[in-house]
Amino acid sequence: MKRILAFSLILLTAALLISGCTGGGEKRIGEIIDFPDELPLSLTAYSDDPSIGSKETSDAETIKKIVEMYKNRSYVRTDTPAPGGNSVVELTYSDGTKLRLTANAITGRDGKTYAAKSLTDGLGALIEELIKGN
């Protein structure tokens, strides 16, 4: 009986270790989606409030700042959408490729949703500020 119990505990421990090492942790945006290294030519920001509209910019410093904020974030797998405002940015690259990203969550290549581990970096606020022209 002790052997069966010990064997069961070993199997349970191994299962927990394996599940903990297979994608359950933090990820960077490049691990979730194909995120080009190239800086986009333009960025269009859309508010989550349709009455506010959108704003396009080709200001390299603004685009670089927003792209770097996405790259510096840690994301975690989630089954529920991110709370609060969820503005969208559309990045347009030199080859015409467009990439749409929400401020708080990303759908990965695997079809799963990844939410920003922390929303305190100000990305959502920066996007809304850009849209409102402040």
Side-chain angles (χ1 to χ4, degrees):
M1 186 68 161
K2 286 184 180 182
R3 284 186 190 179
I4 293 173
L5 182 59
F7 183 72
S8 297
L9 287 174
I10 290 170
L11 283 178
L12 179 62
T13 303
L16 290 172
L17 286 173
I18 290 169
S19 68
C21 297
T22 56
E26 295 178 23
K27 294 185 178 203
R28 296 290 187 178
I29 195 166
E31 297 172 283
I32 301 169
I33 63 169
D34 296 323
F35 197 76
D37 288 329
E38 170 191 0
L39 195 62
L41 295 177
S42 67
L43 177 149
T44 305
Y46 300 90
S47 176
D48 59 350
D49 179 352
S51 68
I52 294 176
S54 64
K55 173 89 181 245
E56 183 175 354
T57 186
S58 44
D59 178 62
E61 287 302 313
T62 301
I63 293 170
K64 182 178 179 181
K65 184 174 184 177
I66 289 173
V67 166
E68 288 301 316
M69 290 175 93
Y70 275 109
K71 286 182 176 181
N72 290 331
R73 271 188 167 176
S74 292
Y75 291 88
V76 292
R77 167 87 172 76
T78 183
D79 291 325
T80 57
N86 211 9
S87 304
V88 174
V89 295
E90 183 176 73
L91 306 170
T92 304
Y93 293 89
S94 61
D95 65 356
T97 301
K98 294 183 184 241
L99 178 61
R100 287 179 69 95
L101 301 168
T102 62
N104 297 337
I106 296 173
T107 301
R109 291 182 288 261
D110 58 5
K112 296 177 180 168
T113 303
Y114 295 84
K117 183 177 178 193
S118 172
L119 299 176
T120 61
D121 63 1
L123 177 59
L126 178 61
I127 294 168
E128 284 295 325
E129 183 179 304
L130 174 66
I131 295 165
K132 294 174 184 172
N134 295 335

